[in-house]
């Protein structure tokens, strides 16, 4: 373990801490945790629920199906983890949150401590988001059974942007979404598989032409697959020219 403080610490507030075993123990994130570059702590609100049954949920006011996570055990869990390790930026995972994206991941990667509150059942008491958390994030327009996988998405997307976490000094700058564009397509050996050949240009050795080709492919697939990205980040005149010289454009 390194003597220095980790570059980023995640606090996971969850009724099912074991769900995180895999993601926190394997691959680059597992290595970054083992090296002390990233830290992750899990706190279970059930440990802070009163009574013999440690009840963390209750029926919704106004009626309706399912159970709602109570505010007090979550508040006590947050208080305890911050008393132990210091204040943090608190995020509630909820389908009703602001859409999580690469730009937000970059901003969050600059913070020293992030707390991710995972809901379960029919959701959490509204006061958790309104009074205990700094922001609410959604990982997509679908409903998961709990916030743990949503939190795992945030942890992985954020942690890999922390300097030193990505292997071999790789840069995340060219990746999908970093400039409002999808990434260009990539291939590896063999040069032909089942009759499908790798584009010749990539073996030409002409680095400038390869870079140009890749930029054009990135723009092409962004226009085809994610026109919404181009609405938010319009094509520059240089990109328009590049697309115009696309040999496949009029086919
Ligand atoms: C079954 S969901 C509750 C859904 C809620 N009744 C609704 O319709 O918005 C239980 C928990 O899963 C998490 N969750 C589900 N979908 C999510 C998403 N798209 N983004 C972030 N968290 C999500 C939240 O923490 C939520 O409290």
């Amino acid at each position: 373990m390194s003597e220095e403080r980790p570059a980023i610490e995640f606090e996971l507030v969850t009724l099912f801490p074991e769900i995180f075993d895999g993601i926190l123990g394997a691959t680059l994130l597992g290595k970054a945790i083992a090296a002390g570059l990233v830290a992750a702590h899990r706190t279970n609100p059930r440990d802070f629920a009163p009574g013999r049954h440690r009840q963390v949920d209750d029926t919704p006011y106004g009626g309706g199906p399912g159970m709602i996570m109570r505010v007090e055990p979550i508040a006590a869990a947050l208080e305890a983890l911050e008393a132990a390790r210091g204040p943090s930026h608190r995020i509630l995972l909820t389908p009703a949150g602001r859409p999580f994206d690469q730009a937000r991941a970059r901003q969050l990667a600059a913070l020293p401590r992030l707390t991710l509150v995972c809901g379960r059942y029919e959701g959490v008491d509204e006061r958790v988001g309104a009074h205990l958390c700094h922001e609410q994030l959604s990982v997509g327009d679908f409903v998961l059974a709990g916030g743990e996988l949503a939190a795992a998405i945030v942890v992985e997307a954020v942690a890999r942007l922390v300097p030193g976490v990505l292997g071999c000094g790789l840069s995340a700058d060219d990746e999908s979404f970093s400039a409002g564009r999808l990434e260009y397509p990539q291939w590896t050996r063999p040069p032909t598989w089942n009759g499908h050949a790798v584009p010749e240009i990539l073996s030409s050795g002409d680095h400038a032409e390869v870079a140009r080709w890749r930029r054009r492919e990135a723009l092409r697939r962004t226009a085809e697959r994610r026109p919404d990205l181009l609405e938010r980040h319009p094509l520059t005149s240089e990109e328009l020219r590049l697309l115009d010289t696309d040999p496949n454009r009029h086919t």
Side-chain angles (χ1 to χ4, degrees), residues 74 132 178 188 198 242:
I74 297 177
L132 293 176
S178 25
T188 186
V198 174
L242 194 59

Side-chain angles (χ1 to χ4, degrees), residues 9-184:
E9 278 186 279
F10 294 99
E11 296 281 355
L12 303 160
V13 177
T14 168
L15 293 174
F16 298 97
E18 63 277 14
I19 292 179
F20 293 95
D21 286 351
I23 176 187
L24 297 178
T27 74
L28 288 177
L29 182 56
K31 282 190 189 144
I33 290 173
L37 189 58
V38 174
H41 310 279
R42 293 173 251 187
T43 306
N44 191 337
R46 197 174 295 284
D47 296 337
F48 299 87
R52 201 156 54 89
H53 297 294
R54 299 206 169 273
Q55 194 184 343
V56 289
D57 57 349
D58 211 332
T59 52
Y61 274 111
M67 300 292 272
I68 304 298
M69 281 178 72
R70 296 167 57 100
V71 62
E72 305 103 304
I74 297 177
L78 290 169
E79 202 175 307
L81 70 87
E82 293 200 355
R85 289 177 289 275
S88 63
H89 182 73
R90 300 166 171 189
I91 301 170
L92 173 67
L93 282 315
T94 163
R98 188 174 122 187
F100 176 62
D101 60 12
Q102 191 66 11
R104 192 67 194 130
R106 275 189 184 285
Q107 292 159 350
L108 293 177
L111 300 180
R113 285 175 42 77
L114 294 183
T115 294
L116 300 162
V117 179
C118 308
R120 275 274 151 183
Y121 316 124
E122 276 310 306
V124 300
D125 185 301
E126 185 65 18
R127 289 166 289 194
V128 172
H131 304 294
L132 293 176
C133 293
H134 298 105
E135 70 176 309
Q136 304 185 36
L137 290 178
S138 163
V139 296
D141 289 351
F142 43 80
V143 179
L144 299 163
E148 287 76 12
L149 293 185
I153 286 173
V154 174
V155 168
E156 191 161 293
V158 169
R160 68 190 290 283
L161 297 175
V162 171
V165 172
L166 273 185
C168 335
L170 285 175
S171 160
D173 290 344
D174 283 346
E175 286 186 324
S176 293
F177 310 114
S178 25
R181 309 283 178 257
L182 299 179
E183 196 189 47
Y184 50 79

